[in-house]
Amino acid sequence: MTTATSIQTSATPLGRDDLARLVAKDIAPGSFVNLGIGQPTLVSNYLTEDQDITLHTENGMLGMGPEAQGDQIDRDLINAGKIPVTELPGASYFHHADSFSIMRGGHLDICVLGAFQVSATGDLANWHTGTSGAIPAVGGAMDLATGAKEVFVMMTLLTREGASKIVETCTYPLTGVGCVTRVYTDKAVFLTGPEGVAVRETFGCTLEELQELVPVPLKAAAAG
């Protein structure tokens, strides 16, 4: 394990909104982006006008804005997670099939998804825990994981039982293989890929403390 000398470290773990703000900041200007259900939906609230990001929803919209509040709420204008949203100038609407063509056709630069597990090499499991009686909820996740140029994951690092969601090999049914490039958690930002897991920054812990929580070898990410 590499020493954490070059890793940025903040004093406390990140809350959901702080994490969403960080993800939003990392999205390159001009990108076409899909935000998955759950934590990822918060990212829309922190994108700036200068970034010129176009948000896609799998239920058939381009040009989604932040979540709707108060008098902005229109119950007919929702994202794929059924959350009321706003529309930006130039927004468009289309058939569900056309929306999935955008996803499958490689037209999205980034998708941001939640996850149950991410493997050291970037495999994604986010639709079923395999538990008897659990309701599978794949939605468009497989299409997004395969079709987007990059897959970011937002999740808590640990389960309620204290187990790491970053694992050597996923034990849950896979959504996509080797598709995840970054994992944003309340305790750290991880970079995943064929060479294993690197840590870009930590929140409320050191790299050494993080290693005690995560059952895969960790190293400090290269500067820049």
Side-chain angles (χ1 to χ4, degrees), residues 93-172:
Y93 308 91
F94 33 83
H95 192 279
H96 212 83
D98 294 320
S99 181
F100 271 69
S101 294
I102 291 172
M103 293 154 58
R104 295 170 179 171
H107 303 291
L108 295 175
D109 297 301
I110 297 169
C111 70
V112 186
L113 299 173
F116 295 132
Q117 290 179 329
V118 176
S119 78
T121 55
D123 296 342
L124 171 67
N126 80 340
W127 69 280
H128 200 342
T129 62
T131 304
S132 177
I135 299 174
V138 66
M142 290 182 178
D143 306 88
L144 289 165
T146 301
K149 296 180 178 70
E150 279 200 87
V151 177
F152 294 174
V153 162
M154 286 179 69
M155 64 182 188
T156 56
L157 178 60
L158 304 178
T159 66
R160 292 178 182 176
E161 295 72 31
S164 174
K165 295 181 185 178
I166 293 182
V167 294
E168 188 67 42
T169 303
C170 293
T171 57
Y172 297 153

Side-chain angles (χ1 to χ4, degrees), residues 193-205:
E195 298 180 357
V197 183
V199 179
R200 192 183 78 179
E201 52 193 304
T202 62
F203 314 118
C205 62

Side-chain angles (χ1 to χ4, degrees), residues 3-46:
T3 306
T5 52
S6 63
I7 294 180
Q8 300 178 48
T9 303
S10 67
T12 58
L14 290 193
R16 289 163 59 94
D17 284 283
D18 290 330
L19 200 60
R21 188 179 289 107
L22 178 60
V23 175
K25 183 180 177 182
D26 282 351
I27 295 175
S31 295
F32 284 78
V33 180
N34 180 285
L35 303 176
I37 295 170
Q39 285 195 54
T41 61
L42 296 173
V43 173
S44 67
N45 297 331
Y46 299 103

